Amino acid sequence: MLFDALRATRPTHGSADCFTSSAAMLSSLLLSKSAKWRQRKSFEDGERLKVSLYRTPDLTKTLQWLLPARVNEVVGVCHLKAFVFDDDVLMTGANMSSSYFTDRQDRYIWFRNSPSLANHFSSLIDVVSSYSFSLGSDEKLLPKKVFDTKDRDGFCAQMGSSVQGLMDAPPAEVNTAEKEKENEEDWDTFCFPTIQMGPLGIRQDEDCTVALLKGLPSGTLLQLASPYFNLTPDYEDVLLEVAEQNIVEILTASPKANGFYGSAGISGLIPRAYSLLEQNLYERSRHRDVALQGKDSYDLKNGLSIYEYERSGWTFHAKGLWCTLPGDIHGPSVTLVGSSNFGYRSRDRDLEAQVFLMTSNPRLRGQLKFERDALFSRAVKVNSSSFLDAERAGGYVAAKASQMVRSWL
């Protein structure tokens, strides 16, 4: 089991649980000598359970002293969301706190009987775990000898080399149904995993995403979801460029569906900051539309639109991308699923992983269409009046402040 150290040790004040943090719960229920699973006679002695907690090397002692719990997570976290069960992989952007099982909208895709994909994510978890702390039965974080967190550059170089080695390694041989079809023509669905670890200099996911967007044929319907609207300038520029010849729809959380809505202190201002960044792209898009209207190639149906998800009592955390080719009625033939929010933190600070899925299978595309339509069915299209709401008001100073801190959001 691999978790982020800062999030796992974050105090859970006010929680109905009797544990002070996720790490405390794991230590008590799973790692302690009195854990119930240890009482089963069928289990032999040995290390049957490992819990690793990754902590970003960018959290210096000074920042650790200055930043309180939860706020310190802006420096960077292990944001990977992948579950491996034998030869099955469950990809999602969701965490495992109670809200994700009750009233927080997210996505899940289950890749069944995919040993190559399972091997990849199992290896990725092993590599990151080897550069993480071990959680002890007394809730202590035990450092591993393989790295020195005091040497930030050396740590990043060593870990980056290990992850790059995983990416460069050829897929392991599997004697399963994967080998039954010898020719590519026999397959109707392909998928490949990508990794983004900015602190380590690994930007595979960003490169693949940009290449996909730039390679779309004219007339494609491109839909992108990100709960925290903070797209990097590179992504914004590419999306605006793609929107000249395609339909681009972005789905994000409304302020009330943002997970920080109603939070106490500085966290309560975060939904307003995201709204201001959203407004900035909306205005850029409108200005671009006006500039393009004089061109012969301009098509009114193309362009970039923003939608906001809002559902009473729910928050929005879904992320991903869907591509539907021109004139196709069966649904998206490409989707991305994983942990990336396509923002600054995903690009530069956090550890991320996604899966690119491409298919011509009508049934699977119908399922992707159903998933996408269900998300957009609870969304409202943004217009200029959307940003006049009192909860979004910020003025010149707030707009500038949001730009200054956006690399931390």
Side-chain angles (χ1 to χ4, degrees), residues 209-285:
T209 303
V210 171
L212 170 66
L213 296 179
K214 289 186 174 181
L216 294 175
S218 298
T220 295
L221 171 60
L222 169 66
Q223 292 161 301
L224 181 148
S226 177
Y228 305 119
F229 198 98
N230 188 21
L231 301 177
T232 66
D234 290 341
Y235 277 140
E236 286 191 358
D237 291 344
V238 171
L239 289 172
L240 288 172
E241 181 181 335
V242 170
E244 293 184 19
Q245 301 293 328
N246 303 277
I247 302 171
V248 177
E249 297 178 346
I250 299 175
L251 177 63
T252 190
S254 71
K256 290 183 179 179
N258 188 291
F260 292 95
Y261 182 78
S263 297
I266 193 171
S267 297
L269 300 176
I270 292 178
R272 183 173 298 181
Y274 284 127
S275 179
L276 290 169
L277 296 172
E278 176 187 335
Q279 182 180 6
N280 181 66
L281 178 60
Y282 174 83
E283 292 176 350
R284 284 188 66 191
S285 176

Side-chain angles (χ1 to χ4, degrees), residues 29-44:
L29 297 182
L30 297 180
L31 297 174
S32 69
K33 292 183 179 180
S34 60
K36 290 184 178 180
W37 68 267
R38 295 185 188 275
Q39 313 307 316
R40 296 181 62 178
K41 295 181 180 179
S42 59
F43 285 166
E44 298 177 0

Side-chain angles (χ1 to χ4, degrees), residues 41 142 251 298-299 344 353 355 366 384:
K41 295 181 180 179
L142 309 173
L251 177 63
Y298 180 74
D299 190 333
Y344 277 86
V355 169
S384 56

Side-chain angles (χ1 to χ4, degrees), residues 123-143:
S123 298
L124 177 61
I125 292 170
D126 286 343
V127 168
V128 177
S129 295
S130 69
Y131 290 89
S132 304
F133 292 89
S134 292
L135 180 64
S137 58
D138 55 359
E139 302 181 33
K140 290 184 179 179
L141 273 60
L142 309 173

Side-chain angles (χ1 to χ4, degrees), residues 118-165:
N119 288 342
H120 168 81
F121 279 104
S122 179
S123 298
L124 177 61
I125 292 170
D126 286 343
V127 168
V128 177
S129 295
S130 69
Y131 290 89
S132 304
F133 292 89
S134 292
L135 180 64
S137 58
D138 55 359
E139 302 181 33
K140 290 184 179 179
L141 273 60
L142 309 173
K144 297 178 182 178
K145 296 180 180 179
V146 73
F147 66 92
D148 180 6
T149 52
K150 295 179 182 178
D151 178 13
R152 189 267 180 199
D153 292 341
F155 174 92
C156 290
Q158 186 178 352
M159 183 176 174
S161 177
S162 297
V163 175
Q164 189 65 51

